[in-house]
Amino acid sequence: MEVVNVAGRNAVLRSLPGVDEVLGSDEALGWLALLPRTRVVSLVRGAIEEIRTEVLSGGKLAEAECLSRVKDRVNQSIDGLLRNPLRPVINASGVILHTNLGRAPLGQMAIDAVVETAGAYTNLEYDLATGLRGKRDVHCGELIERLVGAPGIVVNNNAAAVFLVLNELARGGEVVVSRGELIEIGDGFRIPDILEASQAILREVGTTNRTRIGDYRRAIGPETKALIRIHPSNFRQIGFTGRVSRRELAALARSESLPLVEDLGSGYLEGLEQSGIEREPTVGESLAAGVDIVTFSGDKLLGGPQAGIVAGRAELVRRIRRNPLFRALRVDKLTLAALSATLRAYFAGRPEELPALRFALESEESLEGRAHRLVTRLKSNREFQVEAVPGRSVLGGGSTPMQSLPSVLVAIRPAGRLTAGRIQSRLRANEPPVIARIEKDRVLLDLRTVFELEEDRLTAAVLEATRVREG
């Protein structure tokens, strides 16, 4: 039997086409219209070698299928390489700031600003009044100062902001931090690692669950260069806990002539007061409480693009701005365009124009109406049971992890050969992909994070994903 298998395998290997044979096919004319010949030759060679390896590893392939299999593989490669890898998805998960889905979708003002800026030269670092070189800080700096009450600069994310601040203010010295705030954030990044990478020396105080002002006071010594307070992000402690207030910590920092830095994380400015979510401290409130430097994200509760903002005492911000690492961490014109437009929405008193805040503010009654309309449209399919059920949405993105919002979900319970996992997999394979969640063998769709303009495509995707297919 082994001899027969070896003989069959060798016959298949001999049937693999050569590069010239593949290039002589009709399909190759289409490839050569899309790509330079050298690229096509490379892809054909790669496809032949991949199939050769599969056959040698025991893969089943008929001799007559060799040429078509190579052409299929090349087609797949070209489709994958020429398609934008960043694909819009329909977020039906109910997680408003979904880190894996890019957090906050941009508002229309920000989208328009990016489009206007992307294809043109701009005054990014050019002073139109004087004709001299300018600074890119000006495009967001004044808005930041008017919104939070202190000057600010922008870098590429909040971790970079914390890193830059400590590298400038505490490099080579100690920064005092509570043990209960040394958390791990997304994708395995740990706050202690970021702080230590800044070349500051961590001086941990207190215990995991309780830290008192006396712990900070006793830790301050000749090597201390800063105190830091860190937002808990996705982490919450309950029960026997204690944390020093901003005002108390700020008073201690002032008495010791030390800067107090706060990593606020989510960057809440305003707009969620009516959402029912536990109120996050605003950036302005943190600064008003005596914090010297605040860092926060642009793409969490602020509702804009990925960015990190450093705001606070003018002389400290100037120092941080002059740090050589600022150039390595600065943002480009597209981020500045989107962030500036986002900040202008706040300045104009229209934060509800930002999708993330609008999603959080949508009422349960509105969601119930949308859910029932979707159920009605889906009931034509008898292969599953569908109903509107009460549920909860969450903000996500490292903000208020213990808080959720009441919602009304569309629950799909499959019947027959379909399973919830199979439906979810088909939804992800849809164009555009649909991201849903599974609970108790039901696929759940939360319309809180679905744009109303996406509802027709969502309906079509669900009907296709739940269709029983032959074979």
Side-chain angles (χ1 to χ4, degrees), residues 30-350:
W31 304 337
L32 292 168
L34 294 172
L35 297 172
R37 183 181 179 84
T38 54
R39 296 266 193 268
V40 174
V41 169
S42 177
L43 291 174
V44 171
R45 284 177 176 158
I48 293 171
E49 286 308 310
E50 286 175 8
I51 295 172
R52 187 190 309 278
T53 300
E54 291 172 8
V55 172
L56 289 171
S57 300
K60 303 298 182 183
L61 180 65
E63 294 178 46
E65 296 176 334
C66 289
L67 178 58
S68 63
R69 185 70 64 87
V70 170
K71 291 190 290 188
D72 287 345
R73 191 66 57 88
V74 174
N75 277 321
Q76 291 169 7
S77 295
I78 291 176
D79 288 345
L81 291 167
L82 294 184
R83 173 189 287 183
N84 183 353
L86 281 174
R87 299 166 61 191
V89 305
I90 296 176
N91 177 15
S93 71
V95 181
I96 296 172
L97 300 174
H98 199 308
T99 298
N100 304 126
L101 302 184
R103 290 187 180 154
L106 294 179
Q108 192 59 50
M109 283 178 61
I111 295 170
D112 293 343
V114 170
V115 171
E116 180 182 20
T117 304
Y121 294 105
T122 70
N123 60 329
L124 177 64
E125 291 186 353
Y126 186 85
D127 189 325
L128 294 172
T130 65
L132 302 175
R133 178 169 184 158
K135 292 183 178 180
R136 63 183 65 196
D137 308 16
V138 300
H139 303 294
C140 288
E142 184 176 0
L143 283 165
I144 292 172
E145 185 163 5
R146 289 186 178 278
L147 290 169
V148 307
I153 55 175
V154 183
V155 292
N156 58 8
N157 63 25
N158 188 51
V162 175
F163 172 86
L164 179 64
V165 167
L166 292 185
N167 182 263
E168 176 58 36
L169 301 184
R171 181 175 62 250
E174 293 182 348
V175 56
V176 182
V177 60
S178 168
R179 284 190 176 89
E181 297 172 0
L182 295 176
I183 58 170
E184 181 175 304
I185 53 179
D187 199 25
F189 289 98
R190 296 181 172 183
I191 291 292
D193 296 338
I194 295 171
L195 303 188
E196 289 176 355
S198 71
Q199 300 181 46
I201 301 167
L202 298 188
R203 180 68 185 274
E204 301 174 26
V205 298
T207 61
T208 302
N209 60 317
R210 289 183 71 86
T211 303
R212 298 179 174 86
I213 191 66
D215 297 320
Y216 288 95
R217 185 177 291 111
R218 286 189 295 273
I220 294 173
E223 302 303 316
T224 305
K225 290 197 173 182
L227 310 182
I228 188 168
R229 194 174 195 269
I230 299 171
H231 188 279
S233 187
N234 293 322
F235 175 69
R236 281 290 187 275
Q237 292 181 334
I238 58 175
F240 189 64
T241 63
R243 193 180 187 203
V244 180
S245 71
R246 289 177 185 80
R247 291 194 179 279
E248 197 173 8
L249 202 54
L252 174 61
R254 282 195 302 274
S255 70
E256 299 289 342
S257 300
L258 294 170
L260 172 61
V261 177
E262 181 166 28
D263 168 15
L264 263 185
S266 60
Y268 176 56
L269 294 184
E270 60 177 272
L272 289 177
E273 288 75 8
Q274 307 302 318
S275 68
I277 287 181
E278 177 184 336
R279 193 175 184 281
E280 285 276 294
T282 69
V283 177
E285 288 170 348
S286 176
L287 292 168
V291 175
D292 297 292
I293 290 291
V294 173
T295 71
F296 54 101
S297 295
D299 56 343
K300 292 184 180 180
L301 289 181
L302 189 67
Q306 177 182 298
I309 300 174
V310 178
R313 280 172 45 196
E315 65 272 21
L316 295 181
V317 172
R318 283 194 295 270
R319 272 186 59 186
I320 295 162
R321 170 68 174 75
R322 289 194 298 268
N323 188 296
L325 289 173
F326 175 73
R327 184 176 181 84
L329 301 174
R330 66 184 183 176
V331 295
D332 71 340
K333 65 179 182 179
L334 301 185
T335 300
L336 287 171
L339 182 59
S340 173
T342 302
L343 295 173
R344 290 199 301 275
Y346 282 99
F347 186 70
R350 300 194 302 268

